[in-house]
Amino acid sequence: MTEEIIIAGFGGQGVLSMGKILAYSGIMQDQEVSWMPSYGPEMRGGTANVAVILSDDRISSPILHEYDTAIILNQPSMDKFESMVKPGGLLLYDPNGIFHHPTRKDITIATIEGAKEAALINRKTFNMIVMGAFLKLHPIVNMKNIHKGLEKSLPERHHHLIPLNEKAINVGMEKVVVVNKI
Amino acid sequence: MTEEIIIAGFGGQGVLSMGKILAYSGIMQDQEVSWMPSYGPEMRGGTANVAVILSDDRISSPILHEYDTAIILNQPSMDKFESMVKPGGLLLYDPNGIFHHPTRKDITIATIEGAKEAALINRKTFNMIVMGAFLKLHPIVNMKNIHKGLEKSLPERHHHLIPLNEKAINVGMEKVVVVNKI
Amino acid sequence: MEDVKLMKGNEAMAEAAIRAGADAYFGYPITPQSEVIEYLMHERPEDRTGMVVLQAESEIAAIHMVYGAAGAGKKVMTTSSSPGISLKLEGISYMAGSELPCLIANVMRGGPGLGTIQPGQSDYFQATKGGGHGDYRMPVLAPSTVQEMADFVGLGFDIAFKYRNPVMILSDGAIGQMMEKVYLPDQQERLSDKEVIKKYGSWATTGKTEDRERNIITSLELKSERQEKHNEHLQAKYRKIEENEVRFEEIKCDDADFVLVAYGSSARICQKVVDMGRKKGIKLGLLRPITLWPFPKKIINELADNSKGFLAVEMSAGQLVEDVQLAVNGKVPVTHYGRMGGMIPSPGEVLVAVENELKKIG
Amino acid sequence: MEDVKLMKGNEAMAEAAIRAGADAYFGYPITPQSEVIEYLMHERPEDRTGMVVLQAESEIAAIHMVYGAAGAGKKVMTTSSSPGISLKLEGISYMAGSELPCLIANVMRGGPGLGTIQPGQSDYFQATKGGGHGDYRMPVLAPSTVQEMADFVGLGFDIAFKYRNPVMILSDGAIGQMMEKVYLPDQQERLSDKEVIKKYGSWATTGKTEDRERNIITSLELKSERQEKHNEHLQAKYRKIEENEVRFEEIKCDDADFVLVAYGSSARICQKVVDMGRKKGIKLGLLRPITLWPFPKKIINELADNSKGFLAVEMSAGQLVEDVQLAVNGKVPVTHYGRMGGMIPSPGEVLVAVENELKKIG
Amino acid sequence: MAKVRGAVVIDTETCKGCDLCVVACPTDVLKLNETLNAKGFNPAYPANHDACTACTICALVCPDMCITVYQFKPEKTAV
Amino acid sequence: MAKVRGAVVIDTETCKGCDLCVVACPTDVLKLNETLNAKGFNPAYPANHDACTACTICALVCPDMCITVYQFKPEKTAV
Amino acid sequence: MTTAVITPEDIIKKGKIVFKKTKNMTDKNLSYCPGCGHGVAHRLVMEVVEEMGITQDTIGVAPVGCSVLAYEFMNIDMTQAAHGRAPAVATGIKRVFPEKYVFTYQGDGDLAAIGTAETIHACNRGENIVIIFVNNGIYGMTGGQMAPTTLSGMKSSTSPYGRVVETMGYPLKITEMVATLPGVCFATRQAVHEAKYVRKAKKAIRKAFENQKENKGTSIVEIVSNCNSGWKMSPVQSNEWLEENMLAYFPLGDIKK
Amino acid sequence: MTTAVITPEDIIKKGKIVFKKTKNMTDKNLSYCPGCGHGVAHRLVMEVVEEMGITQDTIGVAPVGCSVLAYEFMNIDMTQAAHGRAPAVATGIKRVFPEKYVFTYQGDGDLAAIGTAETIHACNRGENIVIIFVNNGIYGMTGGQMAPTTLSGMKSSTSPYGRVVETMGYPLKITEMVATLPGVCFATRQAVHEAKYVRKAKKAIRKAFENQKENKGTSIVEIVSNCNSGWKMSPVQSNEWLEENMLAYFPLGDIKK
Ligand SMILES: Cc1ncc(C[n+]2csc(CCOP(=O)(O)OP(=O)(O)O)c2C)c(N)n1
Ligand SMILES: Cc1ncc(C[n+]2csc(CCOP(=O)(O)OP(=O)(O)O)c2C)c(N)n1
Ligand code: SF4
Ligand code: SF4
Ligand code: SF4
Ligand code: SF4
Ligand code: SF4
Ligand code: SF4
Ligand SMILES: [Mg+2]
Ligand SMILES: [Mg+2]
């Protein structure tokens, strides 16, 4: 199994750490993983994205030009990445702040009201809610490994937040809405 | 005609300027010339040498490993250059300060008591006396061109010294002694 | 699985330096490699192993701190990215000239000038042909995974000390910034001066004891005859390195009709190209030089006997390709596919380039 | 015969700079080229032409002064020797990246490191392959006479401005220190800003007048797509230079069985070798590249059709020889004869090397 | 004496919602908007516009030059 | 009181004839020799050796460390 | 009271403009973080250039650092310079254009670390230029590493436990240092995080350019500024921190005039 | 009088040696010009090292300049350094060998021109090293070019009509400059052209090494010296010129202690 994912949004949305937790979860189930961020002195609030690959085999190119899944959290990212989802792939997005909704018919499109839901629990869990939504649709890692992934990727002093994160993941799993099913 | 000359001695003996006057004299008679010094942060009083070539044709290598003439003004230079005179060539030296006199039989060997003679006229004319000695044996430039060469190579404020220099050249021409004639 | 970590290439390199028993790191921030010094500062290696970490006032100061500490017989490292490496070249030439071991990593970005901070591979010539003045060479290791970013630190130090010569890790922004699974090496003890002397001889400025002549670190020799002797000694050493230290990876070269040559990030992409090509029935192979100098000349020359051509794929206008041409020496056509300015080629476009080449060759 | 002088190569270069109408010179002393700035300071060019001469605090400061003044549209020059040139490489890469014309002379000495102050030719790679980071190239002129030291200043400036690119004069201590007869060029007027604009267009930082957009000198482009475009533009320019600016001298190559390739001082020596060889009945020729980049690849490749082999002769461990190999591309054997560390090969020893090669070839 | 009155025009698309003008205004004219602009910032706006004295303090501290300040000096006769 | 006496040994082959010791000696002990040494310099020598007081001044200023200074203090009883 | 009926909209229509963006700034949005002092410093330099009527004769030099893109924002001829080398670049320009105005705009990492030699020697030659020196105590652009001006105990990404002066060096007062050089005619330290400082800073910059007009030598205007991203604070917090901590070590005022 | 009968030969035989060359100098003849102050400076450093008994623990760093060959003469472990970089090289050594003694031996061109940044930052970090700074107002090794310390009006091969401070810069008092840095514990200016100065200079060097022993930070000992070749004078003349001209601008004494 190989899953190639792009996660893209604003700088403060936890894009990079969502990718990191996914990657760590992959390691926990003995997969090969890669996490390739965009980087640079971008203005804070600028866009950030990360390409994450989980695979049972050696990963050749960590740099991709098409993806199995795109997780999109702002409009500029939508503009850039919608076309890069492989036919038959998945585009998951938070409609909050999106003016031009995706129009492709050859991919699964789903939404998650991450910002809204997070406001109810804890703003910081936004990215976990989105991750939950994704995992509902593509269960590439199981909860046990996610737990281990969280343990590995969070510094020890934040381990008490793991239950909250797991709760957020569950919320995401519940609240995801498939808009276009192929 | 091509004449390849090495002039070698201590730093203060006027080795480089002798070479320069020879080279300029060559230019005055429309020859090609090259003047290739040893260089470097040598201790003052260290050795200095210059390879001078005068030729009717384009000069190929300005760097030589054997010479038509060697003009030797101290012992270290004698040690280094005696063997580099071409068979049939000329070795001219000032015996003052020379402990090991040249022994080759296949070259012309001549001496000039430059330091002694200079003491009688003007210490600074030492190199011109030696040059005169050389020109007596190898008249590669005539006095007219030497005069022009002196004019060109001395800064104008020293032009009044040209007669003195010419006198020294004549002294050298007179006092040179051939020790080994082949 | 104890020490499996998900780490950036830059971080893996930094952690590996601590674990290799490095004595000191001197560096100066520059994107995309500032994580190296940030990681080290965060890890307090002075507490873990006694390793010294110092942010210098400039790249030039950093390389000369390395020069000083390396001359003292220590395992020392510096890292930078393209413009910063240019500034270090005088120092690197000095280290090569005075035969000091050290490890220098260049996490390349696109040039020339300030250029872009995105990944590039356009410092290949600089690394392999001696960007600094004079006839020197240094072994250049080109990692293409985060694992290799870690592994080549220890390897690099070993080679550096074996030959008393600077060694370069030539990486790029992609490998430096990406995270992958990495198995970290075990912690090595830092060597004491006595152990260093026992292992590598007493040549360093450790303080002149009465039982030996003074040790001098210098690259100066005013007498040309002696300088030439020194150069001949260096060249003999380089020939030895060329004999012993060539490293490369062959991917499906055995039966390849056409061979890609690529290193670092580009090699990762080409791996995918090989798979894609083979799926389409093109018998592609990939020769990945691991040491860029010494270059795997021999194997490439041999592969040329059974293949129709070579394509060098690199994030540059064509540098690696010259070494491939020199290796192939006219046997078959060698061409080049490159992207520049921080652009990374996609596997798809490389495959198209391959197909075009194959059409031309017929 | 008005302006025939006996001059050192370094002095001839300095005088030629004044006469070429150079606007400024910035430099730092280093043997064997300090005569350049000494001559200029002595000549008071500020009185003769208004040319500015400034001793900088370092080679790095000097190259960046050049960068600033060149960006202002002026004819600017700097000179140094090997270690000093290494220090300038970041700046040179910046100038290439921001497309600034300027003239840089390297009067080479033997390296690596501090090495020796005697002549060397071991910075060939650095000059021709881009010792600095990034994919840049600069035309490299290799004078082999004092006359050419003078002539290549004007030529170098012309090429630099024609292509808006740094140009290097790659000389060595022997050519820099020796005196020969030199015919000095006529004094050129320094150009006013208006004349520069008329001749080369308005791109320089001369002050933003209302009739144009601001002019920017930069090599930065954070967007990779745009940086790549810029790189492609540079590469296209380099291809044009390769088409137009190759210069070389053929000495008795017409009927040569065996061809020497050498530049600068080594070419002078090889001239003698050709004569000596022909006297012995060996049909020798000498191909002297005048531009080291662009390299006279085509002519060498053509000569390979009618000769049995090539010998690259250089004061280095083997750098030029790689370009000869690339040009010959396997047609006939290419070998190398070199001296190092400030040693200059004698014609005799080169001839022996030729004879050995010919024996091997049979 | 007529009180000098002022008004500000804030380029809300350029504004980065840094809050510096808000804190600096001596008469508490300014606030950050709850709704984001296209770049994702909460831009400043004159919530209490009438209190503006055209002192230009907000404009002086605004790093993004978003603020234009207008001044109106009522005729003395109007008092 | 017994006068302290001194003497110097000068390494004439190392000496570069710089004249600094000559000028520095407070009792004019030293002079430069007319004849050159092998390196072409006129080396210093103690022309007026008896005047030496072992003050070491010459040695302190000699850049080439050519001078060794000996001191002799006659017994007090000998006066 | 007539004032009561005048709405802000009326004022905007009828009133006179007492503050607007200088024409010497381009229309591009600044690439700086929200609240970053670079914007104010840019503006002040460009206002002075506009007010002195020397826009056509001014050439700016900005090296790497967050303000590397200054040429996108300042509507004059500009040169981007290599890290630390702006004073040398400015020297090159000024020497060939003695009648034009040349300034550098440098960060503290740039001017006081890698560029120390170029800074000191341009000042020592008394190059007739203006140096605008934005001291935010950190390397902003590269992600908040320690600069020579980072305060003792201050955290940065390369001093994550606080700067230890004994091993990492002391915060460097380079303006005081260059003020001792005879080539420097004016050295001053200013700030731009409050309106009162902004006004003074502008006067200082004006004076620096006037000095250049009068051929007086090098003028250096240090501007103590914030880097809220590097300091990991909000803009408002960072200005408070600046006032309390930075200004305590880097006191404002003229050092040489 | 018994003294009358004692010949110098007797004294040499029987007397005690009150001055002889330190064992820390090798037997090689110094490569310096006749009368050059470098020889005395070398000797003093080596005498101090000998007297402190730290020969086995001392590492010297000499960059290019006439004293580039110091390693031929000083009988200790030494590193030759690139032009200007000795303080960085010494930093590298000292950081890995905190318990050893490290010194640099630098010329004025080296320390105050190309090496300005390295000098200032080593001092600013208070590297616990000794800097011996031989200021002869010229680039001796390369043939007498102008240095940052060349006096106003002084001729050199790159200021053949005399240094014009307005365009070429002012003679730089870098020791005074670094003395302002908190990392520097001792900064002093000495000379070695007369015996009285030699004695003081040695004391200063001793103090500098004692500071290093006590971990006090950076000590810099400037030695104003001659370069008779570069100055184109005889050794004796050059020392007179030094006394009159160099010391007028570079006054001797402790600057910081
Ligand atoms: C030779 C070189 N080294 C390092 C860098 C990376 N770099 C870019 S800007 C910078 C420092 C920026 O700090 P500062 O000058 O204080 O400016 P700020 O961003 O804080 O305004 C560094 C280290 C570079 N571009 N070039
Ligand atoms: C990078 C570099 N630039 C220039 C030189 C040439 N160089 C050697 S020593 C020196 C200056 C020597 O002057 P100083 O430091 O004052 O020492 P001194 O000879 O006067 O004792 C210079 C410019 C060099 N070796 N390396
Ligand atoms: S001009 Fe003055 S009163 Fe008006 S909003 Fe701005 S700061 Fe407030
Ligand atoms: S200061 Fe400027 S950018 Fe900041 S909130 Fe106010 S208007 Fe917006
Ligand atoms: S020791 Fe004193 S008295 Fe004796 S020679 Fe030397 S300087 Fe003169
Ligand atoms: S000082 Fe020394 S070198 Fe000079 S003359 Fe006296 S003994 Fe000779
Ligand atoms: S990183 Fe700091 S200096 Fe740079 S723009 Fe942001 S706040 Fe300003
Ligand atoms: S050139 Fe000057 S500094 Fe160098 S050895 Fe001679 S006198 Fe001394
Ligand atoms: Mg900063
Ligand atoms: Mg000096």
Side-chain angles (χ1 to χ4, degrees), chain C residues 28-31 34 37-39 41-44 54-60 87 109 114, chain G residues 64 68 80 83 85 109 113-114 139 141-143 145-147 157-161 167-168:
Chain C
Y28 188 77
I30 183 170
T31 311
S34 299
I37 185 166
E38 288 171 355
Y39 181 93
M41 285 295 191
H42 185 266
E43 278 298 305
R44 291 189 194 267
L54 183 63
Q55 180 176 329
E57 63 270 29
S58 69
E59 289 88 354
I60 290 184
L87 287 169
R109 50 196 250 181
L114 188 50
Chain G
V64 282
V68 65
Q80 192 278 315
H83 194 27
R85 317 308 175 191
I114 189 171
Y139 289 9
M141 167 167 238
T142 40
Q145 294 84 7
M146 184 178 64
S157 65
T158 52
S159 59
Y161 308 103
T167 57
M168 300 172 175

Side-chain angles (χ1 to χ4, degrees), chain G residues 107-109 134 136 138-140:
Chain G
D108 47 331
V134 178
N136 55 15
I138 210 158
Y139 289 9

Side-chain angles (χ1 to χ4, degrees), chain C residues 323-343:
Chain C
D323 274 339
V324 181
Q325 279 165 351
L326 285 167
V328 170
N329 201 24
K331 283 187 186 172
V332 292
V334 176
T335 49
H336 167 259
Y337 185 79
R339 295 298 299 265
M340 293 176 290
M343 296 299 290

Side-chain angles (χ1 to χ4, degrees), chain H residues 181-200:
Chain H
L181 297 170
V184 172
C185 65
F186 179 45
T188 186
R189 186 178 287 117
Q190 303 291 333
V192 293
H193 60 293
E194 286 185 23
K196 64 178 182 219
Y197 298 128
V198 172
R199 291 195 191 95
K200 276 197 200 156

